[in-house]
């Protein structure tokens, strides 16, 4: 009992600090897994196979399905409805037997019984405008969603199917064998939503002044899901945000509209002479040889005249689109239409714009030109644009489909517009036209990996905007502009490698942060030459195919001989941020007089002070041994150094030798989670500057701090880390020496001392 009491008393008397140190020491001795920031991504990436190889390229067994559509579509302008009938031919190019096919019914997200509104968490507002109150509490739900008239086999027998929200399962009578096709048909209709008042990625806009509608129509037909060897059927529900995974195929489409409508759509117009006037055909022929300025096919005067005369007749537009992954169209009697030819490495591609008078002159000034520039810049950084045209439509949203996209931007009623309106319109147009490359051709799964289309596209968009106008004001994608997001509340951040529906701050997560990551890779880590070749290799390898994130990561490394696993892990798999600072700077001077420290060191080896061989010593300015006369020494005056140089260097070599007078020992710290290069700028007392950049691998053995020595013949006045804000550093207060402002930690320490 006495021993136990003494032991208890001893424990009470032990300092909590000492106890904590002992526990920490024992914990430090335990074994641990590899926690290095430079650990390879082998555990995170899927195992390579013969379809998705270790190099990031498609393998020799790579295959993908093909789906062909023949559609007859009728637009009911009076009732704002779409009626459609389609014949679908599904080609099973896989090695699997398929028991059923999954079909996307995107319009069902707007059905009266849709569950999409039910997953939103919203409290009651205390203030509503009359329109908000009416819409929220009084109006009936919009009767949206597909109305399926029938699903039949080609012999007109009823096909077996089941609808689960935005997905339809077509049950096959027998499994579809590898190499076989299955053809069936669906008839449907739906009420078109007003995308201005009800939202949505397609729909109509009503113009009350002239009582006309403008239609931007997409996701309007039942379409097949992707089936592959990565995830099987990609049949995640469509909740309204994350977009689509689709198969490539051929589309034979007929669209019936009022006779006075002008229509643009995916595919080659097959009956131009039937739907265009002779004047329009002649203007279009001229546009096909005009590469400098857009040519008006339908003028504003003609469009304004058409607004006033609503035809009761109809006409049918026929299109054929080869090897596209989706289909969309836009139509209105209000449309002005202009066109311009674009030279893509000797092949002519057409840039078209369709817009209302309300969007002019902004669209007339910039839409087609921005479309053309997008095709040129993206082709240079990826592959030559393979289709015959690209269309920008005044759709007052930002949405993309093969060969056509819907964009925002309108001037003031008097036709004037400011730079903000102009650059927003140009930026969104370039972004949406750019989606022709990602994901309409490099066909990633947008619903699972949103960043693979939005992030990559936002990055190339930056390059196209800079090409469009010198000094273009970039915003999203620059490292300094992502800082606010990256240093935000960690509970409201998600890694880029997260499913799109599940992330916070969707724009920053899926667009801005991955675009910033690629900007940093190109401009700071890899350099344009290495990056551009690797990026182009990825795009070329996976055009008209279904890449995964691993294919992108592996290709970028495979084509550049750079190990970037540390970068992918930090930027894409974590929510860490960059914070690199200067912890300490010591200034040393050189002398040939033995220091006390050196004398003691020699004495430990039995060498007396008088027997120390000729040597050079560095003395810190904060040392007790530092004297003012050290400042006047120069290395060339030291006899031991002079003797060594005379005996070992020729006169030519002597002329190239430097004469360091000062030695700076700089200790860098890294409070941030991400490992990044250290970019250092030295400003000397004579006003000159010098920069050094150390690869991120400098942190490989010490993730907290590293030390570098800088010999120089000139005194350093100032040291700055990341002077151009290239690395998205979230705290610049520790980036300077001497410190210009207190950092947060210094302020915290002072506050603690004071309290």
């Amino acid at each position: 009992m006495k021993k136990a009491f003494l032991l208890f008393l001893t424990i009470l008397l032990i300092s909590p600090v000492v106890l904590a140190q002992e526990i920490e020491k024992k914990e430090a001795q335990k074994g641990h897994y590899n926690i290095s920031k430079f650990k390879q991504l082998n555990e995170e990436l899927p195992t390579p196979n013969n379809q998705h190889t270790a190099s990031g390229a498609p393998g020799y067994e790579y295959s993908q399905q093909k789906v062909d559509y023949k559609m007859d579509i009728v637009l009911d302008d009076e009732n704002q409805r779409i009626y459609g009938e389609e014949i679908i031919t599904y080609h099973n190019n896989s090695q699997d037997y398929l028991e059923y096919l999954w079909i996307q019914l995107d319009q069902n997200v707007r059905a009266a019984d849709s569950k999409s509104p039910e997953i939103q968490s919203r409290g009651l507002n205390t203030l509503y405008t009359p329109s908000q109150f009416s819409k929220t509490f009084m109006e009936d739900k919009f009767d949206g969603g597909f109305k399926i008239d029938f699903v039949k086999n080609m012999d007109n027998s009823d096909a077996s199917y089941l609808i689960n929200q935005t997905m339809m399962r077509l049950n096959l009578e027998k499994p579809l064998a590898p190499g076989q096709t299955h053809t069936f048909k669906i008839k449907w209709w739906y009420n078109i939503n007003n995308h201005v008042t009800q939202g949505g990625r397609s729909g109509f806009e009503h113009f009350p002044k002239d009582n006309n509608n403008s239609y931007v129509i997409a996701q309007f037909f039942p379409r097949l899901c992707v089936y592959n060897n990565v995830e099987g059927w990609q049949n995640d529900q469509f909740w309204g945000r994350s977009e689509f995974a689709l198969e490539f195929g051929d589309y034979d489409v007929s669209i019936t509209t009022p006779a006075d409508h002008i229509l643009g759509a995916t595919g080659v117009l097959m009956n131009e002479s039937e739907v265009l006037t002779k004047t329009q055909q002649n203007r279009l022929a001229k546009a096909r040889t005009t590469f400098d300025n857009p040519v008006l096919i339908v003028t504003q005067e003609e469009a304004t005249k058409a607004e006033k005369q609503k035809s009761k007749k109809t006409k049918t537009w026929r299109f054929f689109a080869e090897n596209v992954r989706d289909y969309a169209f836009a139509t209105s009697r209000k449309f002005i239409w202009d066109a311009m030819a674009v030279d893509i490495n000797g092949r002519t591609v057409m840039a078209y714009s369709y817009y209302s008078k309300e969007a002019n002159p902004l669209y007339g000034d910039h839409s087609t030109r921005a479309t053309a520039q997008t095709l040129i810049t993206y082709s240079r950084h990826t592959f030559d644009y393979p289709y015959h045209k690209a269309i920008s439509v005044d759709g007052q949203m930002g949405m993309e489909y093969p060969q056509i996209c819907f964009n925002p931007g309108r001037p003031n009623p008097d036709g004037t517009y400011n730079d903000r309106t102009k650059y927003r319109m140009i930026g969104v147009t370039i972004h949406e036209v750019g989606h022709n490359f990602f994901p309409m051709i490099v066909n990633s799964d947008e619903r699972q990996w949103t960043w693979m289309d939005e992030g990559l596209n936002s990055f190339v968009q930056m390059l196209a905007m800079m090409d469009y106008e010198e000094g273009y004001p970039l915003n999203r994608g620059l490292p300094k502009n992502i800082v606010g997001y990256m240093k935000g509340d960690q509970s409201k951040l998600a890694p880029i490698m997260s499913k799109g529906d599940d992330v916070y701050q969707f724009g920053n997560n899926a667009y801005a942060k991955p675009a910033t990551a690629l900007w940093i890779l190109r401009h700071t880590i890899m350099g344009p030459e290495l990056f551009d070749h690797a990026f182009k290799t990825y795009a070329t390898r996976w055009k008209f195919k279904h890449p995964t994130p691993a294919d992108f990561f592996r290709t970028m490394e495979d084509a550049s001989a750079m190990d970037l696993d540390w970068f992918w892990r930090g930027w894409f798999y974590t929510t860490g941020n960059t914070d690199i600072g200067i912890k300490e700077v010591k200034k040393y001077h050189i002398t040939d007089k033995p220091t006390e420290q050196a004398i003691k060191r020699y004495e430990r080896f039995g060498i007396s002070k008088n027997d120390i061989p000729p040597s050079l010593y560095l003395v810190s300015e904060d040392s007790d041994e530092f004297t003012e006369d050290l400042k006047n020494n120069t290395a060339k005056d030291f006899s031991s150094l002079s003797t060594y140089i005379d005996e070992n260097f020729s006169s030519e070599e002597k002329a190239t030798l430097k004469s360091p007078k000062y030695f700076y020992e700089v200790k860098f710290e890294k409070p941030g989670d991400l490992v990044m290069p250290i970019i250092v700028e030295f400003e000397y007392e004579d006003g000159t500057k010098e920069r050094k950049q150390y690869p991120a691998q400098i942190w490989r053995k010490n993730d907290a701090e590293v030390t570098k020595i800088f010999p120089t013949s000139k005194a350093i006045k100032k040291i700055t880390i990341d002077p151009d804000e290239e690395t998205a550093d979230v705290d610049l207060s520790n980036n300077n020496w001497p410190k210009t402002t207190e950092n947060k930690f210094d302020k915290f320490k002072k506050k603690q001392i004071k309290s």
Side-chain angles (χ1 to χ4, degrees), residues 10 39 63 104 116 233 267 290 297 300 392 470 475 489 556 569 611 670:
T10 302
K39 178 184 176 183
S63 66
Q104 304 184 54
S116 289
W233 283 106
T290 304
I297 314 303
Q300 179 166 327
S392 168
E470 185 176 354
N475 186 12
D489 182 357
M556 291 299 291
R569 172 177 283 106
D611 294 329
K670 190 175 71 62

Side-chain angles (χ1 to χ4, degrees), residues 230-246:
V230 177
E231 294 186 23
W233 283 106
Q234 295 178 344
N235 55 2
D236 285 347
Q237 293 291 336
F238 178 46
W239 295 101
R241 174 195 275 179
S242 295
E243 295 171 3
F244 327 110
L246 297 160

Side-chain angles (χ1 to χ4, degrees), residues 283-293 295 340-341 348 350:
R283 292 169 177 170
L284 188 55
K286 179 182 178 182
R288 288 172 177 147
T289 60
T290 304
F291 293 85
D292 51 357
N293 288 299
V295 174
M340 185 172 76
T348 298
M350 296 304 298

Side-chain angles (χ1 to χ4, degrees), residues 95-135:
Q95 295 302 307
D96 303 328
Y97 286 79
L98 305 179
E99 302 173 67
Y100 40 74
L101 307 180
W102 279 104
I103 301 161
Q104 304 184 54
L105 303 177
D106 300 328
Q107 289 297 326
N108 283 1
V109 77
R110 281 187 283 272
D113 62 350
S114 171
K115 290 183 172 59
S116 289
E118 307 305 322
I119 68 172
Q120 306 299 327
S121 174
R122 289 194 179 97
L124 190 68
N125 293 334
T126 57
L127 174 66
Y128 292 89
T129 65
S131 62
Q132 290 172 335
F133 187 90
S134 173
K135 183 177 180 180

Side-chain angles (χ1 to χ4, degrees), residues 274-429:
E274 296 176 14
V275 293
L276 301 182
T277 67
K278 200 67 177 176
T279 299
Q280 291 166 351
Q281 294 176 59
N282 291 336
R283 292 169 177 170
L284 188 55
K286 179 182 178 182
R288 288 172 177 147
T289 60
T290 304
F291 293 85
D292 51 357
N293 288 299
V295 174
L296 283 165
I297 314 303
V298 177
T299 68
Q300 179 166 327
E301 183 181 9
E302 291 164 346
T304 302
K305 182 179 178 180
E307 289 178 347
K308 301 172 183 177
Q309 304 170 3
K310 295 186 178 180
S311 175
K312 297 296 182 181
K313 297 180 180 180
T314 64
K315 63 182 175 185
T316 299
W317 305 69
R318 293 192 296 108
F319 292 89
F320 183 77
E322 185 177 5
N323 202 24
V324 296
R325 58 161 250 170
D326 202 357
Y327 197 92
F329 66 92
T331 182
S332 177
R333 60 178 57 87
K334 291 178 63 66
F335 278 159
I336 303 165
W337 176 18
D338 68 34
M340 185 172 76
V342 186
D343 183 355
I344 303 296
N345 283 331
R347 188 173 62 86
T348 298
V349 174
M350 296 304 298
Y352 293 152
S353 290
Y354 297 81
Y355 47 100
S356 64
K357 67 178 186 296
E358 287 78 5
N360 219 14
L362 178 61
Y363 260 72
D365 291 343
H366 295 288
S367 178
T368 297
R369 290 183 175 88
T371 300
Q373 184 62 66
T374 305
L375 300 180
I376 293 169
T377 300
Y378 277 67
S379 294
R380 184 169 68 248
H381 287 279
T382 59
F383 44 78
D384 287 356
Y385 184 69
Y387 297 129
H388 73 292
K389 70 181 177 186
I391 302 172
S392 168
V393 180
D394 161 30
Q396 297 311 298
M397 65 175 75
M399 199 58 214
E400 74 282 353
Y401 300 92
Q403 304 173 20
I404 186 170
C405 59
F406 315 142
N407 304 313
R410 283 180 184 157
N412 300 317
D414 64 358
T416 62
Y417 54 87
N418 57 26
D419 282 348
R420 181 174 181 176
T421 299
K422 165 191 166 182
Y423 288 124
R424 178 175 182 267
M425 178 264 180
I426 295 171
V428 177
T429 299

